[in-house]
Amino acid sequence: MILFFDKKTGRIFGTINGRVHDEEQMKMQISSNDVSDKDTGKYVIGWTRENDVNTEHNMDKFDILKKFESNTPENPLDYKIDIETNNLIKK
Amino acid sequence: MGDYGFRIAQEGKDVKTCEDRECVLTSKYSVAKGGLHGSGNITATAPAVDDTAAGSFNIDHNLGFVPVVRIFAVADGEFYELPETEWGAGVFIFDAYYEHASVNRITVYASLWVSGEQATVDMDFTYYISNEKVNI
């Protein structure tokens, strides 16, 4: 999952679901009217794939990702990025 | 049906004579080829009382064609497919819709006007973008 967040506040305003993201998906941009492109950060949980090589990202959050994917009420938009520690935390 | 192709009928249906809708799969129609899904949030505050709060959200999918898209606003555990208007009750008027600004971008808009108040719109939504072209 790719989480797009505001670098100034840590607010997550958009996601792309999935566990493995290829180069095309990593090039994709999500933008919000109230967050400039330069203030938009990406936080990846899972793997990115480039030239058939998978790279892990934030696998310590993989259990949270599984909750996001399940039918639980867990919603990534209810989380934020702690901009001090670059950690995913609940609001 | 033409002279070639294949069909898989639902259980209990005769694959040679059943309707297309009674098939599990038929080569008569294009099938979904996967896609992309995710979620988003639009937050905006009206500049003044009795003004409209309006925000937007862009997904640069870069597919190079206009894809089939479905977008659902989420509120209180319920899903409302966009476009949706007059979502809410009483004096509230909620207006939200999506559009394809280009073959490479999808834009979601949300706006809210509240009588006598400075409105703030805060809309969560989920989106589904298919790798299927819209045939116009």
Side-chain angles (χ1 to χ4, degrees):
Chain A
M1 177 175 278
I2 308 171
L3 305 171
F4 293 80
F5 66 96
D6 183 344
K7 288 180 183 173
K8 288 182 178 171
T9 64
R11 171 182 161 248
I12 294 168
F13 58 84
T15 74
I16 297 174
N17 295 352
R19 294 186 175 193
V20 184
H21 299 284
D22 60 21
E23 293 170 67
E24 289 302 313
Q25 287 187 3
M26 290 307 294
K27 278 186 222 163
M28 278 185 56
Q29 189 63 33
I30 284 181
S31 55
S32 174
N33 65 289
D34 57 343
V35 184
S36 69
D37 287 349
K38 74 176 178 58
D39 288 328
T40 298
K42 284 183 187 178
Y43 185 97
V44 179
I45 307 173
W47 295 268
T48 53
R49 178 175 294 165
E50 192 172 351
N51 300 323
D52 290 330
V53 176
N54 287 351
T55 305
E56 292 183 344
H57 299 270
N58 298 303
M59 297 307 283
D60 58 316
K61 300 294 187 296
F62 201 72
D63 284 341
I64 299 176
L65 172 64
K66 286 194 278 190
K67 285 184 185 175
F68 293 157
E69 293 172 337
S70 70
N71 287 328
T72 66
E74 211 74 10
N75 183 340
L77 300 177
D78 293 332
Y79 282 71
K80 63 180 288 189
I81 303 297
D82 184 328
I83 52 177
E84 299 293 327
T85 62
N86 201 38
N87 200 22
L88 180 69
I89 57 173
K90 203 152 191 173
K91 283 181 185 170
Chain B
M1 195 168 177
D3 294 334
Y4 60 90
F6 68 89
R7 319 175 86 199
I8 300 173
Q10 293 176 5
E11 187 176 357
K13 303 294 180 184
D14 185 337
V15 74
K16 296 186 292 297
T17 58
C18 71
E19 300 286 335
D20 290 335
R21 61 184 167 79
E22 294 172 323
C23 287
V24 174
L25 189 65
T26 169
S27 59
K28 184 174 179 181
Y29 302 110
S30 177
V31 296
K33 300 172 186 67
L36 198 70
H37 54 102
S39 54
N41 170 267
I42 295 175
T43 302
T45 300
V49 173
D50 281 338
D51 216 331
T52 301
S56 62
F57 180 97
N58 296 316
I59 305 164
D60 292 326
H61 54 77
N62 296 319
L63 289 169
F65 57 82
V66 179
V68 174
V69 178
R70 298 187 78 179
I71 297 176
F72 297 86
V74 188
D76 301 324
E78 300 287 334
F79 291 87
Y80 301 84
E81 185 166 15
L82 272 58
E84 177 73 27
T85 57
E86 296 188 30
W87 179 47
V91 297
F92 299 100
I93 296 177
F94 181 84
D95 188 354
Y97 58 94
Y98 69 85
E99 70 172 31
H100 303 284
S102 77
V103 295
N104 294 320
R105 168 176 280 193
I106 291 159
T107 302
V108 183
Y109 293 100
S111 60
L112 177 68
W113 172 84
V114 184
S115 176
E117 293 182 19
Q118 188 170 13
T120 296
V121 62
D122 184 1
M123 183 183 80
D124 286 350
F125 59 91
T126 60
Y127 66 85
Y128 301 86
I129 302 172
S130 172
N131 286 335
E132 198 72 26
K133 289 181 186 178
V134 172
N135 291 315
I136 302 172

